[in-house]
């Protein structure tokens, strides 16, 4: 049964010439899981917001959106508010009230429901989402993943028929993100909830979805099952897709496109030769000088709290890209704060370019020496336009292979996550650091920006910079790092070049490494797998 | 197990207001003394043997207030001694002791009140007055700490970006001002997201209902009724029976009416203790069956 039908939808923002959404038609059946993908600026968010009357953007609209048989413009306010649920990107600011229980009650209060009905709905929602244990907590005490789960529960408590999500996991770490997607899958399967979701991280969403809506410059490019839609994607969009899809397309696979690791592995077993199982390894030679060194560093935030870092030793050599990976609470961000002298360890020494931190007097550490790009890039911006921001910092825009021109007069907050990251990076680079420190640079950015970021970092390295990155993103670390290390409970537990690091790890590794385990010994990226495919080309198994 | 602290906030507030209000406005040392005893008992019941410092502070406050009055006020006919050419009178000393008694008693009541009324309960109370006010307060309680954390984060990231050129106060003050101004933009920009999230969940459709964690139970009704009945009785009893301090101390004769007033107030201040003991006994009995 059809629950949502969009017909010839056009939308143009005020004072812009070209429409943001043009001639979009599609229909969604009850219980379908639809993923929406497209590059930044392809009209994803605009389209999703148009589906929710209360927050649809201002501008010129034509065409119709039919929800459950009624045009959404003509829906009763209660039906419109509760029938279509909407979850946004930023969990922090979607939360309205100070306590978990009040957040759950907020939507029901707006519907003016009596106390006993609210009590029942809140109770069943809280127990379904496993919120019972933190029901009395302040929302400020929750982790990012819990906050976004609360946002979802606070919408689900209103019992919507369609759930629309606009990049809900882009601010979450990968573990919280996959838990969030798993919850969506559960809602879809158990309650046959109709879900429409746009997402940057598609590794988990694509295998879960029934149909994929591909947008390009406001037009529908494809609306089909993911297997078929994959064949219509261009290279830029392909980068956002699961590794199995990228591999399938890269070797020109035919037939059913694999979507997840399991099918990807089957695909490799079927058509890849295995006479050559390893790629030649060239030894990594690091620079002799040390850029940053932690010696036996211990740190805790307060006297009576437990240690965050327990005798941490790190050596980063000059002119290398060093990636620290690790789960939540392993001390990654703390390590960076110590390196940037924002907090002080209670024991141990930290040297930057052979000089102890305390010998850098009068903020000289931050002049042409070291700089930190924090996780929340909004904390970097101090001006009203990108132009003021960059000129104020005396940034050389030319050095970044990114066209800032069309964004110059926008407010930094109005840019997409990826664009914000690049503007922030440009500003940070203005101080001409020798050591650049990045905290989770891939959080909230799309696949294309990530790709661009990798090439920028490689260019900076070629120009002689040392780069220290903390990340959750295994694919990103695999692409750009010279050496990777795993931080666990305040200590570095392993340290190696990416190829060795990721092929030795079983769980904390890249999708390709998981797919090729036991078939190839050291393939960690899509490029590696493609190389091995080509090396084996003409082997015992012919290409289908 | 339900204790006095678990009472419905409205019932608890009515109780605290009547008990402390009578003590404050009666100007009756007997009432003040009864009140102080009840307040200390309740406080000790809630806190056990901890918070010795509170008792010490109260004792010190009592002493200072009691002794200060005779030094300032020289009314009264019975001169104890003369200090700096000023007479120190017995009446002023007694008056000081009586008023100190009242103040300390009321302080103890407020102390217990603030311990029992957590922020959730206060919001419930405000919500009973105005649901809009309750929501505004809840949003403020969410936003103010968030704003504070963001200032800290911005400060740290700007420091690492070299916003501060030197280690001096002027520079850090200037940097602080810039951060504050950018934080206003931050709050406004992100406030739009919050507003969207509110309208998306149907805010602004009209009348809102209010969800609360607290219900009225039989015990709460009992508490309110008891508070009202006993306070009416005690006010009726003590009205007209006035203590006079100057120039001579005159104590009103204890009539049947006044006795009823004292007794009613006495029962009233014991209500939390009665509830506590009753629950304790019930619990012991139930526990013996487990």
């Amino acid at each position: 049964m059809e629950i949502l039908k969009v017909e010839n939808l056009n939308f143009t923002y005020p004072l812009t010439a070209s429409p943001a959404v043009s001639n979009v038609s599609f229909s969604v059946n009850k219980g379908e899981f639809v993923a929406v993908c497209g590059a930044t600026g392809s009209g994803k968010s605009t389209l999703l917001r148009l589906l929710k009357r209360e927050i649809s953007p201002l501008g010129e609209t034509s065409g119709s959106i039919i929800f459950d048989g009624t045009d959404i413009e003509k829906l009763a306010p209660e039906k419109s508010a509760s029938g279509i649920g909407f979850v946004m990107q930023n969990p922090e600011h979607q939360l309205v009230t100070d306590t978990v229980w009040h957040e759950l009650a907020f939507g029901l209060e707006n519907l003016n429901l009596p106390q006993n009905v609210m009590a029942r709905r809140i109770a069943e929602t809280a127990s379904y989402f496993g919120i019972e244990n933190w029901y009395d907590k302040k929302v400020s005490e929750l982790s990012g993943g819990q906050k976004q789960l609360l946002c979802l529960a606070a919408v689900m408590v209103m019992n919507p028929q369609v759930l629309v999500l606009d990049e809900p996991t882009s601010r979450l770490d990968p573990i919280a993100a996959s838990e969030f997607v798993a919850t969506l899958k559960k809602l879809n399967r158990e309650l046959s909830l109709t879900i429409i979701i746009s997402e940057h991280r598609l590794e988990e969403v694509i295998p879960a979805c029934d149909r994929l809506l591909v947008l390009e410059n406001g037009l529908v490019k494809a609306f089909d099952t993911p297997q078929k839609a994959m064949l219509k994607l261009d290279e830029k969009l392909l980068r956002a897709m699961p590794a199995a899809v990228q591999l399938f397309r890269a070797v020109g696979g035919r037939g059913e496109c694999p979507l997840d690791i399991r099918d990807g592995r089957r695909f490799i077993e079927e058509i890849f030769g295995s006479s050559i199982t390893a790629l030649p390894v060239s030894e990594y030679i690091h620079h002799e000088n040390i850029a940053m060194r932690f010696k036996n560093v211990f740190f805790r935030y307060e006297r009576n709290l437990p240690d965050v870092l327990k005798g941490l030793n790190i050596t980063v050599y000059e002119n290398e890209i060093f990636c620290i990976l690790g789960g939540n609470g392993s001390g990654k961000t703390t390590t960076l704060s110590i390196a940037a002298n924002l907090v002080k360890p209670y024991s141990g020494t930290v040297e930057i370019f052979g000089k102890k931190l305390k010998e850098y007097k009068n903020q000289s550490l931050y002049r042409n020496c070291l700089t930190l790009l924090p996780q929340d890039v909004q904390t970097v911006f101090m001006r009203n336009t990108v132009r003021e921001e960059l000129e104020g910092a005396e940034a050389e825009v030319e050095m970044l292979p990114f066209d800032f021109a069309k964004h110059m007069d926008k407010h930094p907050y109005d840019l997409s996550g990826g664009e914000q990251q690049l503007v922030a990076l440009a500003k940070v680079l203005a101080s001409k650091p020798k050591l650049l420190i990045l905290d989770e640079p891939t959080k909230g950015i799309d696949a294309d920006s990530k790709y661009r970021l990798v090439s920028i970092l490689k260019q900076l390295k070629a120009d002689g910079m040392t780069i220290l990155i903390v990340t959750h993103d295994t694919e990103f670390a695999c692409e750009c790092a010279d050496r990777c290390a795993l931080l666990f409970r305040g200590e570095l537990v392993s340290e190696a070049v990416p190829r060795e690091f990721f092929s030795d790890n079983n769980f904390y590794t890249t999708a390709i490494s998981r797919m090729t385990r036991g078939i190839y010994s050291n393939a960690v990226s899509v490029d590696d797998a493609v190389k091995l495919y080509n090396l084996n080309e003409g082997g015992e198994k012919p290409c289908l | 197990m339900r204790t006095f602290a678990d009472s419905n906030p409205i019932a608890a507030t009515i109780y605290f207001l009547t008990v402390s209000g009578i003590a404050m406005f009666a100007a009756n040392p007997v009432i003040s003394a009864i009140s102080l005893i009840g307040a200390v008992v309740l406080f000790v019941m809630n806190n056990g043997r901890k918070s010795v410092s509170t008792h010490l502070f109260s004792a010190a406050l009592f002493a200072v207030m009691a002794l200060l009055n005779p030094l300032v006020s020289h009314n009264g006919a019975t001169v104890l001694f003369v200090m700096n050419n000023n007479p120190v009178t017995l009446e002023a000393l007694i008056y000081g002791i009586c008023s100190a008694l009242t103040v300390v008693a009321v302080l103890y009541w407020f102390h217990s009140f603030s311990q029992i009324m957590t922020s959730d309960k206060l919001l419930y109370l405000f919500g009973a007055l105005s649901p809009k006010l309750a929501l505004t307060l809840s949003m403020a309680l969410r936003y103010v700490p968030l704003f504070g954390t963001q200032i800290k984060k911005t400060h740290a990231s700007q420091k690492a970006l070299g916003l501060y050129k030197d280690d001096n106060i002027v520079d850090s003050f200037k940097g602080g001002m810039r951060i504050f101004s950018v934080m206003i933009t931050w709050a406004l920009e992100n406030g739009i997201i919050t507003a969207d999230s509110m309208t998306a969940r149907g805010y602004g459709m009209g009348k809102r209902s209010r969800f609360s964690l607290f219900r009225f139970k039989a015990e709460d009704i009992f508490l309110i009724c008891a508070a009202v009945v006993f306070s009416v009785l005690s006010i009726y009893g003590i009205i007209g029976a006035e203590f006079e301090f100057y120039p001579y101390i005159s104590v009103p004769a204890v009539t049947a009416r006044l006795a009823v007033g004292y007794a009613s107030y006495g029962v009233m201040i014991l209500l939390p203790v009665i509830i506590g003991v009753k629950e304790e006994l019930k619990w012991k009995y139930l526990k013996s069956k487990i």
Side-chain angles (χ1 to χ4, degrees):
Chain A
M1 202 194 97
E2 210 172 69
I3 183 97
L4 192 74
K5 188 173 184 178
V6 177
E7 275 178 334
N8 300 322
L9 187 66
N10 290 285
F11 178 82
T12 314
Y13 280 103
L15 307 175
T16 52
S18 55
V21 169
S22 54
N23 215 12
V24 169
S25 299
F26 64 94
S27 76
V28 179
N29 290 330
K30 207 167 170 24
E32 258 192 315
F33 195 128
V34 177
V36 181
C37 71
T40 299
S42 61
K44 282 184 307 207
S45 289
T46 311
L47 176 63
L48 294 184
R49 280 180 164 254
L50 286 168
L51 300 179
K52 177 79 180 163
R53 186 179 76 191
E54 286 81 359
I55 54 167
S56 61
L58 287 176
E60 207 178 301
T61 320
S62 71
S64 63
I65 301 166
I66 314 286
F67 167 65
D68 206 11
T70 321
D71 194 304
I72 62 160
E73 294 301 324
K74 295 182 185 112
L75 282 176
E78 292 80 15
K79 169 107 180 169
S80 174
S82 60
I84 303 175
F86 199 95
V87 177
M88 292 178 265
Q89 206 177 69
N90 191 330
E92 201 71 75
H93 296 283
Q94 275 181 86
L95 296 172
V96 175
T97 62
D98 64 329
T99 50
V100 172
W101 65 266
H102 199 176
E103 193 63 32
L104 287 172
F106 180 77
L108 302 176
E109 290 180 333
N110 293 336
L111 296 174
N112 200 15
L113 295 175
Q115 167 90 17
N116 56 346
V117 178
M118 289 197 278
R120 192 186 69 226
R121 287 236 213 137
I122 290 170
E124 59 165 355
T125 311
S127 41
Y128 185 85
F129 287 93
I131 290 177
E132 268 170 306
N133 294 335
W134 29 283
Y135 184 72
D136 285 322
K137 275 197 179 174
K138 296 257 167 210
V139 295
S140 52
E141 295 165 30
L142 306 180
S143 70
Q146 285 176 323
K147 278 180 189 154
Q148 192 63 304
L149 193 66
L150 177 59
C151 291
L152 176 65
V155 167
M156 286 309 297
V157 77
M158 298 175 78
N159 205 4
Q161 289 168 276
V162 174
L163 183 64
V164 183
L165 305 104
D166 188 9
E167 295 177 0
T169 70
S170 68
R171 304 285 173 94
L172 308 182
D173 63 74
I175 293 147
S178 56
E179 273 168 18
F180 189 84
V181 174
T183 308
L184 292 179
K185 228 191 291 188
K186 188 174 152 200
L187 286 171
N188 177 253
R189 299 286 190 269
E190 290 182 1
L191 309 174
S192 66
L193 176 72
T194 313
I195 293 178
I196 303 174
I197 180 174
S198 80
E199 202 43 280
H200 288 324
R201 289 173 32 88
L202 291 160
E203 194 81 39
E204 274 116 14
V205 173
I206 294 282
C209 75
D210 300 311
R211 282 199 282 175
L212 185 65
L213 179 72
V214 184
L215 286 177
E216 197 178 86
N217 298 325
L219 291 158
V220 176
K221 200 176 178 201
F223 183 52
D224 216 330
T225 61
Q227 284 88 350
K228 287 187 185 152
M230 289 308 159
L231 306 175
K232 299 176 188 165
L233 299 176
D234 60 14
E235 198 194 342
K236 217 172 169 186
L237 278 178
L238 207 53
R239 282 185 205 125
M241 294 300 145
V245 175
Q246 294 185 37
L247 189 60
F248 179 82
R249 288 284 304 267
V251 301
R254 265 165 252 162
E256 187 95 325
C257 175
L259 299 177
D260 56 11
I261 307 264
R262 195 185 55 177
D263 292 346
R265 189 177 173 88
R266 199 173 297 152
F267 172 71
I268 292 172
E269 281 167 355
E270 269 169 23
I271 76 153
F272 278 47
S274 55
S275 44
I276 301 164
T277 59
L279 286 170
V281 189
S282 56
E283 209 190 331
Y284 171 67
I285 302 158
H286 61 72
H287 202 280
E288 276 171 21
N289 296 343
I290 293 170
M292 184 192 91
R293 175 187 253 166
F294 275 50
K295 260 190 273 180
N296 237 349
V297 170
F298 285 85
F299 178 81
R300 57 175 67 180
Y301 279 97
E302 272 167 44
R303 192 175 300 155
N304 298 322
L305 292 179
D307 280 339
V308 180
L309 300 183
K310 299 165 187 167
L312 180 65
N313 289 299
I314 314 176
T315 311
V316 178
Y317 296 99
E318 272 184 29
N319 200 21
E320 73 173 351
I321 302 181
F322 189 87
C323 273
I324 299 177
L325 295 109
N328 277 333
S330 58
K332 300 194 305 294
T333 298
T334 309
T335 307
L336 298 192
S337 302
I338 288 174
N341 205 18
L342 298 173
V343 292
K344 289 183 177 56
Y346 70 82
S347 169
T349 53
V350 178
E351 287 169 11
I352 304 287
F353 295 107
K355 208 163 127 184
K356 280 185 186 162
L357 269 183
K358 61 182 168 208
E359 289 165 19
Y360 286 93
K361 291 269 155 48
N362 261 342
Q363 316 280 337
S364 62
L365 179 63
Y366 309 119
R367 279 196 294 271
N368 310 335
C369 177
L370 167 152
T371 189
L372 168 71
L373 181 60
Q375 209 176 111
D376 182 356
V377 289
Q378 285 197 342
T379 60
V380 171
F381 303 128
M382 300 289 273
R383 306 292 169 93
N384 288 327
T385 63
V386 173
R387 185 187 306 280
E388 287 174 33
E389 201 69 67
L390 295 177
E391 283 171 2
E394 292 160 17
E396 290 166 28
V397 179
E398 301 77 40
M399 66 188 289
L400 287 182
F402 173 62
D403 184 16
F404 287 103
K406 65 176 176 180
H407 301 301
M408 273 306 198
D409 295 311
K410 284 190 189 166
H411 193 283
Y413 291 176
D414 294 337
L415 304 179
S416 76
E419 290 158 356
Q420 283 191 12
Q421 191 80 35
L422 291 176
V423 173
L425 184 61
K427 184 176 174 186
V428 163
L429 289 175
S431 70
K432 300 201 173 54
K434 286 189 281 177
L435 174 61
L436 174 66
I437 304 179
L438 305 171
D439 191 358
E440 299 278 5
T442 62
K443 206 176 200 177
I445 78 177
D446 59 16
D448 189 49
S449 306
K450 202 196 282 190
Y451 176 78
R452 219 170 345 202
L453 187 63
V454 171
S455 64
I456 291 172
L457 294 180
K458 285 188 170 161
Q459 182 57 45
L460 290 172
K461 186 205 156 185
D463 296 343
M465 201 176 280
T466 311
I467 303 172
L468 171 65
I469 304 171
V470 145
T471 183
H472 269 110
D473 191 331
T474 49
E475 319 285 334
F476 172 73
C478 169
E479 288 291 321
C480 71
D482 291 317
R483 286 194 301 144
C484 291
L486 183 66
L487 189 64
F488 180 68
R489 294 173 64 89
E491 282 173 273
L492 280 195
V493 289
S494 72
E495 211 179 305
V497 297
R499 185 174 306 285
E500 196 186 317
F501 183 86
F502 289 112
S503 50
D504 283 353
N505 283 359
N506 284 321
F507 300 101
Y508 214 92
T509 185
T510 60
I512 289 289
S513 163
R514 281 182 238 179
M515 253 179 254
T516 58
R517 181 123 317 182
I519 304 172
Y520 300 130
S521 65
N522 61 0
V524 290
S525 67
V526 175
D527 287 346
D528 290 352
V530 173
K531 267 183 216 155
L532 277 161
Y533 173 80
N534 290 333
L535 286 172
N536 282 305
E537 183 77 322
E540 64 266 44
K541 281 177 186 168
C543 177
L544 292 171
Chain B
M1 199 182 83
R2 201 179 136 94
T3 65
F4 179 72
D6 299 322
S7 303
N8 183 289
I10 292 181
T13 308
I14 289 176
Y15 176 77
F16 276 110
L17 287 184
T18 48
V19 163
S20 56
I22 290 173
M24 252 188 287
F25 296 111
N28 185 320
V30 179
I31 292 285
S32 300
I34 299 173
S35 197
L36 180 61
I37 293 168
V40 172
V41 168
L42 178 63
F43 186 80
V44 172
M45 252 171 60
N46 286 338
N47 295 281
R49 287 189 194 160
K50 295 176 292 177
S51 46
V52 178
S53 58
T54 312
H55 298 304
L56 285 178
F57 171 78
S58 305
L61 186 74
F62 183 88
V64 168
M65 285 184 61
L67 296 177
L68 204 62
N69 192 57
L71 297 180
V72 179
S73 163
H74 308 293
N75 293 335
T78 323
V79 177
L80 294 174
F81 55 90
V82 176
M83 199 169 79
N84 296 338
N85 295 328
N86 280 319
V88 172
T89 67
L90 177 68
E91 286 79 8
L93 180 66
I94 302 277
Y95 185 80
I97 290 173
C98 290
S99 51
L101 211 57
T102 314
V103 169
V104 172
V106 170
L107 276 182
Y108 266 107
W109 284 120
F110 280 172
H111 207 123
S112 291
F113 184 64
S114 68
Q115 280 181 342
I116 288 174
M117 297 305 274
T118 54
S119 65
D120 270 358
K121 291 185 182 174
L122 281 177
L123 276 180
Y124 170 79
L125 270 188
F126 286 119
L129 300 173
S130 150
K132 270 195 185 144
L133 180 65
L135 179 65
T136 314
L137 276 174
S138 172
M139 289 174 68
L141 283 175
R142 157 98 188 105
Y143 220 75
V144 172
L146 188 64
F147 194 79
T149 337
Q150 190 70 14
I151 286 189
K152 270 189 209 143
K153 270 161 71 182
T154 310
H155 170 76
S157 77
Q158 292 297 328
K159 187 179 170 201
L161 285 177
L163 172 74
Y164 306 104
K165 299 283 180 272
D166 269 308
D167 286 334
N168 67 50
I169 296 172
V170 178
D171 203 59
S172 66
F173 180 75
K174 274 188 195 157
M177 288 307 291
R178 271 175 67 191
I179 286 174
F180 189 76
S181 84
V182 80
M183 285 303 299
I184 301 295
T185 320
W186 175 86
L188 292 175
E189 283 286 331
N190 291 305
I192 296 171
I193 301 174
T194 313
D196 276 349
S197 159
M198 289 169 77
T199 41
R201 283 186 276 160
Y203 183 74
M205 284 193 313
K207 201 172 165 358
R208 296 183 84 237
S209 56
R210 191 167 68 92
F211 179 71
S212 58
L213 297 171
F214 309 101
R215 314 284 174 80
F216 271 105
K217 296 195 173 156
E219 290 92 333
D220 300 311
I221 309 285
F222 168 76
L223 183 61
I224 292 177
C225 291
V228 170
V229 168
F230 286 115
S231 58
V232 167
L233 278 176
S234 51
I235 291 168
Y236 164 79
I238 58 178
I239 241 167
E242 275 178 36
F243 279 75
E244 275 172 30
F245 293 91
Y246 303 120
Y248 294 101
I249 292 171
S250 89
V251 178
V254 181
T255 58
R257 182 176 160 178
L258 188 57
V260 167
Y262 289 156
S264 306
Y265 192 71
V267 174
M268 198 170 153
I269 62 147
L270 284 178
L271 280 175
V273 182
I274 293 168
I275 293 174
V277 170
K278 186 195 125 214
E279 288 295 328
E280 188 76 17
L281 290 176
K282 191 171 151 195
W283 173 236
K284 283 213 169 114
Y285 170 67
L286 290 174
K287 205 161 68 173
S288 70
K289 294 205 298 182
I290 297 174

